[in-house]
Amino acid sequence: DAGITQSPRYKITETGRQVTLMCHQTWSHSYMFWYRQDLGHGLRLIYYSAAADITDKGEVPDGYVVSRSKTENFPLTLESATRSQTSVYFCASSPNGASITDTQYFGPGTRLTVL
Amino acid sequence: RKEVEQDPGPFNVPEGATVAFNCTYSNSASQSFFWYRQDCRKEPKLLMSVYSSGNEDGRFTAQLNRASQYISLLIRDPKLSDSATYLCVVGPSGTYKYIFGTGTRLKVLA
């Protein structure tokens, strides 16, 4: 049972480059999320998706693009990377969304450094 | 004021001593409350949901105080393996936009 995976696990890129972070889940969960985690901040929601072809902005969407053509995949693209996007990125999935008993399952994270 | 606030710690406690963390939230319409655990350089994992009546899972007890807008996590007889960062998570009503606290770091000492 692979669960939820992210690739690459580590990435170093340069300012201005386009970068795509991949997220894949094997549970057929409807909901998927992208977060970034920085010192001094909790995890902050970048984008989320309630189903294939349905996405919406979170708290910090600027500079990011997402798509969800298949239920199991939710790639995050940095269109033109900036140093402020250096962070740890977590993808998560959830079967039902926001309910009192719902759980978000997180991938192992991608550590992105923008030089 | 942050939407979800936690004492960053660290809380250094000996094995066997009881420890408690609080987390305050600002949105009175919040409906979903969780505690997640995050080990160093790892992904967060759900520890427990927090119900209105309070709930217990082994050595862990979670409480919700809506009047004062805080949730708490009590760990009885902490083990070395409980050393981690504990994240408070709050979900506003009718949305999937969970708000994460910055976490409280716990270090259990032998």
Side-chain angles (χ1 to χ4, degrees):
Chain A
D1 184 357
I4 182 166
T5 57
Q6 293 183 235
S7 61
R9 295 291 313 280
Y10 302 89
K11 177 74 177 179
I12 299 174
T13 191
E14 294 178 338
T15 302
R17 300 235 177 183
Q18 184 179 79
V19 177
T20 295
L21 309 184
M22 304 301 294
C23 178
H24 175 79
Q25 52 107 352
T26 60
W27 296 306
S28 298
H29 285 171
S30 296
Y31 296 88
M32 296 188 75
F33 309 83
W34 273 108
Y35 294 91
R36 60 178 290 173
Q37 187 173 34
D38 306 287
L39 277 175
H41 296 275
L43 276 81
R44 291 182 290 174
L45 183 64
I46 304 171
Y47 269 95
Y48 66 98
S49 169
D53 297 321
I54 301 175
T55 62
D56 202 356
K57 295 178 181 179
E59 181 185 355
V60 289
D62 293 342
Y64 303 95
V65 175
V66 293
S67 61
R68 194 161 175 215
S69 57
K70 292 184 178 181
T71 299
E72 60 266 30
N73 296 324
F74 191 38
L76 175 75
T77 297
L78 287 66
E79 296 182 294
S80 177
T82 65
R83 289 197 181 92
S84 65
Q85 293 177 310
T86 293
S87 187
V88 180
Y89 291 85
F90 287 103
C91 178
S93 72
S94 172
N96 297 311
S99 73
I100 188 68
T101 59
D102 207 31
T103 301
Q104 290 193 19
Y105 298 89
F106 284 82
T110 294
R111 293 186 176 274
L112 176 67
T113 301
V114 183
L115 302 176
Chain B
R1 181 185 174 188
K2 289 184 178 179
E3 291 187 73
V4 175
E5 291 200 73
Q6 296 183 252
D7 182 340
F11 285 62
N12 296 317
V13 299
E15 281 188 289
T18 298
V19 61
F21 314 132
N22 281 346
C23 164
T24 59
Y25 61 95
S26 60
N27 186 346
S28 60
S30 299
Q31 294 295 325
S32 304
F33 306 90
F34 308 88
W35 284 102
Y36 276 72
R37 170 192 170 131
Q38 186 173 26
D39 293 296
C40 187
R41 301 178 74 84
K42 299 283 191 181
E43 72 272 22
K45 293 183 179 178
L46 179 70
L47 179 66
M48 57 197 306
S49 301
V50 185
Y51 303 119
S52 296
S53 56
N55 48 299
E56 187 174 306
D57 183 1
R59 296 181 292 106
F60 299 86
T61 300
Q63 296 280 351
L64 168 63
N65 186 316
R66 286 192 182 274
S68 300
Q69 293 183 207
Y70 73 87
I71 65 172
S72 64
L73 177 67
L74 179 83
I75 306 176
R76 286 181 298 281
D77 189 22
K79 312 297 183 188
L80 293 175
S81 58
D82 293 330
S83 297
T85 296
Y86 291 83
L87 307 178
C88 168
V89 184
V90 176
S93 175
T95 170
Y96 314 111
K97 297 182 181 180
Y98 291 152
I99 309 297
F100 284 72
T102 53
T104 296
R105 189 172 165 215
L106 170 66
K107 188 171 183 181
V108 181
L109 308 172

